[in-house]
Amino acid sequence: MMEGGSSGKKKRAAKSQDHDFAQLIFSWSLDDILNDNLYEHQVEKIPLTFQSEEHYFRSFVYPLLEETRTELASSMKMMYKAPFSEISSFKKAKGKEKTMYDVTVATWRNSERRKEPYQTLPGDLLIVTNGGPGSVSDLQSVGSTWAFLLVNNTEDDDSGTPVQFKVTASQKIEFHDGMFVAFLMNITTQKRIWNSLHKHVNLDIIKEILYPDSVVKERCDMCSLGCNSSVQRFDQSLVSKLNESQKAAIMASIGKMECCHKSYVEQIWGPPGTGKTMTVSVMLSIFLQMKCRTLTCAPTNVAIVAVASRVLSLVKESSKTITANGDSFCSIGDLLLFGNKERLKVGKDIEEIYLDHRVEKLTECLGSLTGWKHCIKSMVDLLEDCVSQYHVFVENESMKEKQVTNENKSKTNNLKVKSFMEFVRERFSSFVQPLRRCIITFCTHIPRSFMKQENFQTMVSLLDNLSSLESLLSQKNLVSEELEKIFVSKPLEGDFVKSGDMSSINSVRIMSLSLLKRLQTSLGGLKLPGGNRHAITRFCYERASLLFCTTSTSYALQKVKMVPLKLLVIDEAAQMKESEAIIPLQIPGMKHAILIGDECQLPATVKSNVSSECGLGRSLFERLSLLVLGKI
């Protein structure tokens, strides 16, 4: 192993738009990393206004590199306190890349007591050395060898702790016993910012934040829709929770967000204690009712979970359904939270809208063996043909008994087969539970607009009918022979119309069959994904109306093929570096943005003095506020 490349290589790479961010870090020598003046002459003060889009993106490149270098230098100086582990296996990974390896380590250990045990995550930058975690001076000593490893993905063992992971190394590595790895930092967010600065996907909003006149635009004259028409399209009880200033802020934003001719960037100011969270959650609920596809971001996991939780509560207040038998569910398929589960700290109160939980639920209901098609067909076959099924069952049991008797001559034939009533009760019970689970999952996790209102009502009615039938079949005074006579006849939907007696088993049976077949046909006409998790994940992204994630995580949406999101809402916008806000601003199709924050709050933390002095910690919210106030 060797230290790394020269600073000359590094500086040329910084000018290349297509150069991989990780490779750029790999090119730094140890002297480069520890040199506080490395980018001093490349970093320039980030201005309040910009000459062009290119000027805008270029202004953040070297401040970002300098900040990353500073964080890495700090981590390496504290390396002796970092989580570390001895390497058990280090093998060349399959593929063309010469520096990709499959790594297996022993249990991670902490040199210093930490609140939570370390777990390897994609984007983690590790250092591999010939001994345990040492100091920077150890790396500088003659004969010392080390290299960087960037974690690409991880695999869990049976205990859920990642001990195997795939890495890209800064150079070729020859493995030998006694080699250790230590965690330095995670560079995922920096890499996403870097890519967003160089891959210009959507410039609609970017063009509106460059110049002083772009932040004070009046409403578009060409729009026929205004605030008054918007008022008619959402539940007025939502705004009754707000004071007049909060209502005014929301209505002003709504009027501009409907424009399809121009892009707008709105700001909502609010010092702590003025109800920003309530204002944001009500506004998002309004956009949901207006069918405006919206992405909500925040700089931290805690902040985005807080907003998502509040919106979820508001939606539950207005969309709770309770069936006649007591089944309770809320239609929340339009809400989607995604990101790292451990970092988001997804609890029971919020997991209903968390992507992985939703995919797991829908996978079960869309699979070939456990899905809705199998469940409905099984129940239809039972209600239509349970007498024939019973006779087949009796015949099979009889054959089994004869076989046992023939094998054991001394044993007398004492066949005791369950009655028709027991057979029906048992089969119905085994079929109704997974069917009910599928229906409730669909009503909960698939947006009502996609499912269609008539299907939703059919499913609610079916739940009630199945519960009624279950109750009727469990009556103690039922006679098996009489029950069999009821099920002998081929049920016709017209029979229910003639009798109209919902208290009879046959009437409820007929109605349940009618609902099952109607649902079977209508759901079959929808473009529901199969049981493939990847297809279901894409379906969740495509169909949700309100999406929630951290600003960094929103980078994933640049690769998702779906109906474009129209509106970006950034909460706690004053605490986020402007360079980080560039990630969601460029999501394909994004047309408008609303920034919520308080410019008097503390700005984002910047560790590099050079980057801090140039303005890297300033937020987009603060810069636009200064432009509005004329402080140019």
Side-chain angles (χ1 to χ4, degrees), residues 37-44:
N37 300 317
L38 184 66
Y39 287 112
E40 184 179 14
H41 299 297
Q42 282 85 9
V43 173
E44 297 178 356

Side-chain angles (χ1 to χ4, degrees), residues 34 60 79 114 131 262 464 514:
L34 300 177
F60 297 100
M79 188 170 57
R114 295 161 63 96
K262 301 178 181 178
D464 287 337
S514 173

